[in-house]
Every structure is written in structure tokens, then in C-alpha cells.
């Protein structure tokens, strides 16, 4: 925040014979006193006690990860792995993106 944003205009009519710098310093002191004495300032700057939470598992509502290709298709007996994955997709066991991911990562 720039000094001009919170410092009032101290024109020569308002000075009443006082030095502009003295008025600025007095204004700053008043602003600091107001901040320090305000209830909100005290509440916001007061250290808070850390809340105690029971141990929560990481992402508790997240479903398990997708199965690995080896768990879905017997690679020793299956010649057409892509076809087997598409059959699982047709039966509703896999979604299209899962088939694509399994084929890319295989």
C-alpha cells in the first residue's frame, strides 16, 4: 500500500502552523494505536491453538485403483489382449478410457 493511499492531504490551510511531517507522524501514530486497540486486530493476531483431528485416511471416499493388465487378462494364454480388453468393456467391467490406458501402458 502506498503512503498516499492512507495518508490524508495536509495542505497549508490544514496545517495551522504545524509542520507537515509532524502531522503525518501524528496521523501514523493514531492509525497504529487504532489498529492495536481494535478487537478485530487482537483476535486476528492472537496465536491459535491447533485443532486436534482424528487420524483420517488419505482420500477416504476414493475408490480403489484400476486393476493391472495382468490381473484382468491371462497374458500366458491370451493371444489377443486388445480383444480381451474390449470384451471386458462390452460386459461393463471396464470403461473405454481404462481400456485405452491399459493398452498404452502395456
Amino acid at each position: 500500500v502506498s503512503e498516499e493511499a492512507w495518508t490524508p492531504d495536509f495542505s497549508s490551510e490544514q496545517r495551522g502552523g504545524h509542520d507537515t511531517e509532524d502531522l503525518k507522524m501524528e496521523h501514523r501514530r493514531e492509525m497504529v494505536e487504532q489498529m492495536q486497540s481494535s478487537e478485530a486486530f487482537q483476535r486476528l493476531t492472537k496465536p491459535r491453538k491447533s485443532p486436534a483431528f482424528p487420524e483420517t485416511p488419505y482420500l477416504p471416499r476414493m475408490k480403489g485403483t484400476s486393476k493391472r493388465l495382468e490381473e484382468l487378462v491371462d497374458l500366458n494364454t491370451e493371444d489377443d489382449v486388445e480383444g480381451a480388453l474390449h470384451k471386458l468393456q462390452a460386459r461393463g467391467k471396464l470403461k473405454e478410457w481404462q481400456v485405452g490406458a491399459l493398452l498404452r501402458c502395456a
Side-chain angles (χ1 to χ4, degrees):
V1 175
S2 67
E3 185 175 319
E4 294 82 27
W6 63 276
T7 304
D9 179 30
F10 295 107
S11 62
S12 58
E13 298 88 37
Q14 292 177 333
R15 283 190 265 167
H18 296 286
D19 185 24
T20 303
E21 290 303 315
D22 290 340
L23 289 174
K24 286 182 181 180
M25 289 301 293
E26 182 179 335
H27 177 71
R28 285 187 186 130
R29 272 189 238 111
E30 289 172 1
M31 293 293 292
V32 169
E33 286 173 11
Q34 287 175 359
M35 284 190 337
Q36 290 175 344
S37 65
S38 74
E39 183 179 325
F41 181 79
Q42 296 297 325
R43 181 174 38 86
L44 293 171
T45 58
K46 179 178 155 184
R48 295 182 185 180
K49 181 179 159 185
S50 297
F53 295 109
E55 189 171 324
T56 305
Y58 179 69
L59 301 174
R61 296 183 186 258
M62 185 175 174
K63 295 181 182 178
T65 59
S66 298
K67 292 185 178 185
R68 296 174 32 172
L69 181 62
E70 295 82 19
E71 297 172 37
L72 295 169
V73 178
D74 186 6
L75 298 176
N76 295 327
T77 59
E78 187 66 50
D79 293 332
D80 185 18
V81 175
E82 185 175 354
L85 290 176
H86 285 294
K87 286 178 188 175
L88 289 171
Q89 180 185 356
R91 285 191 249 151
K93 303 281 185 183
L94 293 175
K95 298 194 182 305
E96 183 179 353
W97 68 267
Q98 291 171 313
V99 172
L102 287 165
L103 291 173
R104 278 191 300 275
C105 296

